[in-house]
Amino acid sequence: MKLQRHGTIACLALTAVLGLSACGSDNNEPATGASASGSAAAADCATGTLNAQGSSAQKNAMDEWIKAHQQKCSGAKINYEPSGSGAGIQAFIAGTADFAGSDSALKPEEQPQADAKCTDGKAIHLPMVIGPVAIAYNLDGVDNLQLKPATLAKIFAGKVTKWDDPAIKADNPGVTLPSTAINAVHRADSSGTTDNFTNFLSKTAEADWTFGKAKEWKAPGGTGANKSDGVASAIKGQAGTIGYVEWSYAENGGLKMAKVANGAGEFVALTAESAGKTIAGAKVEGQGDDLKMSIDYNTKEAGAYPIVLVTYEIVCGKGLAADKLPLVKGFLAHAASTEGQAALTELGYAPLPDSVRTKVESAVKNLS
């Protein structure tokens, strides 16, 4: 697989940044019970079927975890539909998903609706996937594009429409830019990636981005594409195109990615190490086993790439159906283990900082 070329380097880089010590874990080893280090999934393999849906950003991570878990637990069948964060949340609320993947936390009005599905409990957020968001582009002859947040805001707001616009030239001194029209691609469906990207713009380029943050795209113009793979395909298919998409999809599509300026004004390329530096500064702001996180998009950390998102598994902390509980706990225990997290580095994701991973692992054990 194309992404595997940076897996070992990425894992080593994140070891240095986050203190993760699971490089080289073998996903095919049999489960031997949860250890103190979290290197193995739950010992007991439940039998039955789980149905989950939501974030397309975590699809590649889910595919890897499902494959590894079902190799260990042949009686467990896990179905995950990458329908988008908004659709996943609605499926959870409707009772058709046993848990939902979402790239943003439940809205205040969604929380009580989700809670209503949990007998004697609440729906909680378990951060499971760290997905750096790439600014991917297709522009002949330009291989090292770099953009400030304000320039990105102008492009996606439709204020900058040509590649040789003075704003882009100012970010790229000495680079010959064509007069090609810009085709800015955004998600057409309700998307946690859009929620995070527009949150980034609203926090870092307030003067130029006046459309706030939301799962639904609010700015005029541009081209809409469904789901992450649709955005990646749209960028690859037309010269002059730019879009925001998870790193794994940009890598899989062989897309060029722009350097993005962080809060210190440093243009930084997207790597596991540069994303990890931003992740390391994220704070858990939820209470108890509800582990909602807050990311500083204006990070001034040297070498930090500023656009990263957290994908949550939204699940009942208490009140899970008796026939689903062991299945949910077994699968999410694998995802939260050092083994499960280490596997992500080969797929264009960054593993959870171990300080966060251990909290997620503990919250999974507490599910009831």
Side-chain angles (χ1 to χ4, degrees), residues 7 13 46 91 95 97 100 127 152 154 164 207 262 264 287 306 333 365:
L152 278 170
K154 291 171 185 174
D164 60 353
N262 60 24
Q287 301 296 316
K365 290 177 182 176

Side-chain angles (χ1 to χ4, degrees), residues 92-300:
F92 181 81
I93 290 171
T96 57
D98 298 311
F99 65 88
S102 178
D103 303 324
S104 52
L106 291 166
K107 296 176 183 177
E109 63 270 25
E110 291 172 336
Q111 184 72 57
Q113 294 176 293
D115 292 346
K117 297 299 173 182
C118 307
T119 307
D120 300 324
K122 296 184 65 175
I124 61 174
H125 302 78
L126 301 179
M128 206 68 80
V129 177
I130 302 294
V133 179
I135 301 301
Y137 68 99
N138 180 347
L139 191 61
D140 293 338
V142 180
D143 295 327
N144 295 293
L145 186 69
Q146 52 189 33
L147 298 167
K148 293 178 180 176
T151 309
L152 278 170
K154 291 171 185 174
I155 289 171
F156 283 93
K159 298 174 184 176
V160 167
T161 60
K162 299 284 188 181
W163 278 106
D164 60 353
D165 187 278
I168 301 178
K169 283 185 173 180
D171 291 351
N172 296 272
V175 177
T176 301
L177 293 163
S179 59
T180 308
I182 295 172
N183 177 33
V185 178
H186 57 263
R187 286 282 290 272
D189 53 326
S190 179
S191 160
T193 309
T194 296
D195 195 36
N196 281 268
F197 180 61
T198 55
N199 194 21
F200 166 78
L201 294 177
S202 66
K203 295 286 179 63
T204 60
E206 187 176 2
D208 297 293
W209 184 258
T210 58
F211 304 99
K213 68 177 284 287
K215 291 189 180 76
E216 296 75 27
W217 187 256
K218 302 293 186 184
T223 299
N226 284 318
K227 304 181 184 177
S228 302
D229 53 358
V231 171
S233 295
I235 296 168
K236 190 168 187 175
Q238 182 179 338
T241 300
I242 187 170
Y244 58 93
V245 70
E246 296 76 14
W247 188 25
S248 59
Y249 287 88
E251 282 279 312
N252 270 338
L255 302 176
K256 291 187 281 192
M257 292 171 269
K259 294 181 180 178
V260 178
N262 60 24
E266 177 190 7
F267 290 104
V268 181
L270 173 50
T271 66
E273 183 178 10
S274 64
K277 289 182 177 181
T278 299
I279 297 161
K283 295 180 174 62
V284 174
E285 59 181 20
Q287 301 296 316
D289 286 338
D290 187 24
L291 302 176
K292 288 184 288 188
M293 297 183 74
S294 174
I295 296 170
D296 180 12
Y297 294 115
N298 280 298
T299 178
K300 292 180 171 62

Side-chain angles (χ1 to χ4, degrees), residues 25 99 314 341:
S25 293
F99 65 88
I314 296 172
Q341 288 293 308

Side-chain angles (χ1 to χ4, degrees), residues 305-329:
Y305 180 85
I307 319 178
V308 296
L309 63 79
V310 177
T311 300
Y312 301 100
E313 312 314 331
I314 296 172
V315 64
C316 290
K318 296 185 185 302
L320 276 162
D323 60 330
K324 301 292 186 178
L325 177 60
L327 286 160
V328 172
K329 292 183 75 169

